[in-house]
Amino acid sequence: MTTERRLERDLPQILGDLAMGPYPDYIEDVLSTTAQRRQRPAWTFPERWLPMDIVTTRVPTAAFPLRQLGLLALIALLAAAALAVFVGAQTRLPAPFGPAANGLIAYAVEGDIFTLDPVTGVTRAVVTGPESDDGPVFSRDGTRLVFQRKAGAGAPLGTLIVARADGSAIGQVTPEPLADLGFYGFSPNGHSIVAMTRVNGGARIVIAAVDGLSPPRFIDPEMAVEASGPEYRPDGSEIMLVGREHGQAYRGIYAIDAVSGAVRTIVAPALKADIYHATWSPDGSRIAYGIYDPFAENNTSRTHVIAADGTSDVLVDTHPDTIADGTNAGRLDFSNDGTRLFITRVFLRDGVEDHRFAVVPVDGSGLGVELTCPPAGVDGRCATLWRWSPDDTALIGLLTDTSGTRPLQRLLADPLTGATRVVPGPATISADWQRLAP
């Protein structure tokens, strides 16, 4: 047997002996000593009687006393109460279109602006001074007024003035006086005023910022504005007007893009009929307009409602005995919910036109409700101007003399029953009703 084979055979035993190692000289003394002592009791091992998951759980280094917890709860309650008071104190504003609560009535008397509370009858002068102020119009949210100011009654030039509803924070929005200001009103968001003016006999549309920080913008439409407008579409995207294009004998309805100025024809001029008024419905989906034949021997005026794109034309008055119907003192007014329209009906009695006022559905589905005339009616007329209240529960009217220029009495009518009554308060030609949050 060779040396290599003996080493291979004996190597495992040699390595095992080396791993065991020698015992120390004192091993026998240690064993004899420990054999005389008792084993450690089991209760001294904590894991035998205390769950180890409790021992290993982290314990907070400090705890909040009950007094501190109560103080924190009190602070939280006070903060919540303060937040509730703050939120409740904020003025709620109505939506720009649709039914709203009734607020004050603004009107002008002898060059000053007043407001009337229709519930209490209390009047208050909100804008006074040596200038002649007229034609107050509320913003759609009821927070501001716009009116026209002239150096004196009958002056040819005027400026547009904006103030808060209480007459404070008065500011001029048209830097230079303008001629023949008319048809003015707020944009739906209340940031600007749109109006019509004339320069060298031509119609111009002016858009003025309410804050006065930017100069007014002028739009020269391709057609002459000769009837109604400009009027913002309720979404603010377009400005509608009734005008006459160059070379046309009659007027049509047009919309001007509020940003680009591009013109869209809604109703083209007809061959033998002239359009004399148009207005948007509260949601901007429809348009009411009046049309007539200017060369007919009899009154041919009729009121129509169409979609915003000029389609789906509906004749609204279906009364079998009328010879015509039309605007109310030059206006057509949708109810704030957009379902009804206020019109003037024309009957022929003993060869004489008899005018009556009616509330009719915009889809032509019924005869509607006709208003009665109060005892104070002049020549059988109930009034020359009616306006919807913001909540649609009433119509406010103005009774004038036979010329239609001198106001006599203020009236209220119920649009559901047609009942009409005289109410206290000033009778003025120019008046507008404030919208408040419901």
Side-chain angles (χ1 to χ4, degrees), residues 373-377 420 422:
C373 288
T420 305
V422 177

Side-chain angles (χ1 to χ4, degrees), residues 9-28:
R9 183 190 60 190
D10 299 333
L11 182 60
Q13 184 175 353
I14 295 171
L15 292 175
D17 294 339
L18 291 174
M20 292 293 293
Y23 286 105
D25 297 335
Y26 56 83
I27 187 64
E28 293 183 1

Side-chain angles (χ1 to χ4, degrees), residues 69-85:
L69 291 175
L71 181 60
L72 289 176
L74 179 60
I75 293 174
L77 289 175
L78 292 176
L83 179 61
V85 171

